[in-house]
Every structure is written in C-alpha cells, then in structure tokens.
Amino acid sequence: MKTLVIIPTYNERENIEKIVPQVLEQDPSIQVLVVDDGSPDGTGAIADRMAKENDRIQVLHRRNKGGLGTAYLAGFKYALEKSYDLVFEMDCDFSHDPKSVPRFLEAISDFDLVLGSRYINGGEVRNWPKSRYYLSYYANVYSRVITRLPVKDATGGFKCFRREVLEAINLDQVKSNGYSFQIEMSFRAWKKGFKIKEIPIVFEDRKAGQSKMSKKIVREAVWMVWRLRWWSIWGKL
C-alpha cells in the first residue's frame, strides 16, 4: 500500500539526514514528507537537497513556526491529495524508532488507526526525568477519565492512519495544536467508529536538538479534553 511518513521539523539539522534514510529502508512502499516550519538552522535546505537526491522524499515548507498540529494537518491534506493509503505521524528526533515501522504496517491490516504506546505492556520510556514521565503518564490518565477514550497513551505521536480515517474527519475543524492534537485526532477517529489498536513502543528522549515542550502546550491539553467531551455530548464532532 502507498505509505507516507510525515515528519515535522523545526531546527532538526542534527537529525534529519540520519532519520529519513532509516525510515525509507523499512519498506519499499514508504515515502517521506518533511514539513519544515522555516527552521533557522537550515533544516529545510537539507531536506530539499535530500529530496533532489531521492524521489521518495518530499518537502513541504511553511514560513513560520506554526506548531505541531498544523504541521500534521498540512501533511494529512497533502497525503489525501496525493492518494496515499496509509499515513504515519513520526518525530524527527529518534524518540520514535524507525525499526518499529514494520510492526505498525502489520497491525494496520486489521485496524484503522494504530498508536504506538509507551504505557501498555511492553512499552517503555527511556532517559526522561521522573517529573516529565509522571507528567506524561498522568496526563494520559486524566484525558482517559475525562474523554472516555479507551487508550492508554493518547498523547503519543507515533501513529498510523488509514486514509479513510483522515477522510472521515473534517480536518478544518481540528482545533488543537500542541500535544492535545494527538488526543483530539484519536478521539475524533474513535467517535467516528474506527477501530484503534495500541502497540508497545520504546520511547527514548532525544539525544540531539531541543525539546518543543512548553507550559502553553500543557495548558492547552488540560482544557482541550473538556472541550472534546463537550463537543461529543452536543454532537459537534
């Protein structure tokens, strides 16, 4: 099946040249779309050079740092326009292991959305301080209690969608832009009746570059789960 792996970037020059080839070697059906938000460090230029050397790589440039959610939405629309069958979300910083991609491709044969989970049996988080781990873990507990979304890791960003899921969701109505974007997309898919599968992954904190986590992103997630529940009750999804 025609598969697109979307990799958003902002100042990832230390990682981009390493991770893209590793993703491509996992399966010949895979192509990569780099969505670069005008990285001051030249990530976009590096991606352009890679695309000229390999026709399985595409690059989408955005002028400003627009956030993770809008970067993925731009990638989703590109994937639908170009008729891809499967669409991945994946970080550029090696916190998501490219070698896990074949397990997603295997699982998606029986499901509509496959989530890489840190918090099910076999999942693991490495090299995070305890404060960051507990923030993430209990954020997922909190979102599950409020939304009733039946997954253990709703905030994870290693995912594979069937195109039918993205077609069923009105992407212009997706409101989140930080890590709550991951919750919102899975919640909307679940409410549409699509089958979701979690598979265990090992998540390892980045070794190069800088984390994009901020207090603003945390605040957005705290309130977004309540908005999702409200929209669900009133049929606004």
Side-chain angles (χ1 to χ4, degrees):
M1 301 180 78
K2 192 177 176 184
T3 303
L4 184 69
V5 177
I6 303 171
I7 301 180
T9 57
Y10 185 77
N11 288 347
E12 295 286 359
R13 64 175 299 134
E14 296 160 292
N15 294 311
I16 189 68
E17 286 188 280
K18 299 174 185 177
I19 196 165
V20 170
Q22 291 189 33
V23 171
L24 292 176
E25 72 183 18
Q26 301 308 314
D27 193 276
S29 71
I30 292 173
Q31 297 185 22
V32 167
L33 174 67
V34 177
V35 183
D36 186 68
D37 275 10
S39 296
D41 72 347
T43 300
I46 295 172
D48 282 337
R49 174 175 54 77
M50 295 172 67
K52 288 180 181 179
E53 297 170 354
N54 190 332
D55 61 8
R56 294 171 64 195
I57 302 170
Q58 292 87 44
V59 185
L60 182 61
H61 291 280
R62 306 200 309 161
R63 288 190 176 183
N64 302 306
K65 186 179 180 183
L68 183 72
T70 60
Y72 275 127
L73 290 173
F76 292 159
K77 291 176 180 179
Y78 177 95
L80 294 177
E81 179 184 335
K82 301 296 183 181
S83 301
Y84 286 92
D85 302 300
L86 303 175
V87 184
F88 275 81
E89 294 182 22
M90 188 173 181
D91 289 349
C92 188
D93 60 9
F94 283 97
S95 56
H96 301 150
D97 186 354
K99 293 179 182 178
S100 296
V101 167
R103 294 195 295 112
F104 282 80
L105 294 175
E106 180 180 359
I108 200 72
S109 63
D110 297 315
F111 293 89
D112 303 303
L113 170 58
V114 177
L115 312 179
S117 179
R118 299 161 288 185
Y119 305 125
I120 62 173
N121 187 35
E124 186 181 350
V125 175
R126 295 176 181 170
N127 300 328
W128 258 6
K130 287 186 177 180
S131 58
R132 180 75 184 273
Y133 175 84
Y134 287 126
L135 173 64
S136 174
Y137 180 84
Y138 286 109
N140 277 284
V141 173
Y142 171 78
S143 68
R144 189 163 63 250
V145 169
I146 303 304
T147 65
R148 310 289 202 274
L149 176 64
V151 300
K152 294 291 183 68
D153 192 353
T155 61
F158 200 179
K159 310 167 85 160
C160 181
F161 297 84
R162 285 186 174 273
R163 70 171 289 111
E164 292 83 2
V165 178
L166 299 178
E167 287 174 329
I169 295 172
N170 187 336
L171 299 177
D172 292 327
Q173 290 184 351
V174 175
K175 303 300 183 184
S176 305
N177 199 24
Y179 286 95
S180 58
F181 171 80
Q182 307 298 355
I183 303 171
E184 181 171 355
M185 287 299 297
S186 295
F187 185 78
R188 287 180 179 272
W190 175 56
K191 283 297 181 178
K192 294 287 185 182
F194 289 106
K195 295 187 297 181
I196 300 176
K197 171 71 173 178
E198 286 186 277
I199 63 172
I201 61 166
V202 174
F203 178 95
E204 188 163 5
D205 197 16
R206 66 164 61 236
K207 293 183 172 66
Q210 192 170 23
S211 172
K212 313 302 189 294
M213 175 62 77
S214 68
K215 292 181 180 179
K216 180 181 178 181
I217 288 172
V218 174
R219 287 195 299 269
E220 181 192 37
V222 168
W223 291 109
M224 180 52 69
V225 293
W226 286 102
R227 295 176 72 183
L228 290 173
R229 183 169 179 179
W230 178 260
W231 292 338
S232 178
I233 292 170
W234 290 96
K236 294 184 177 181
L237 292 173

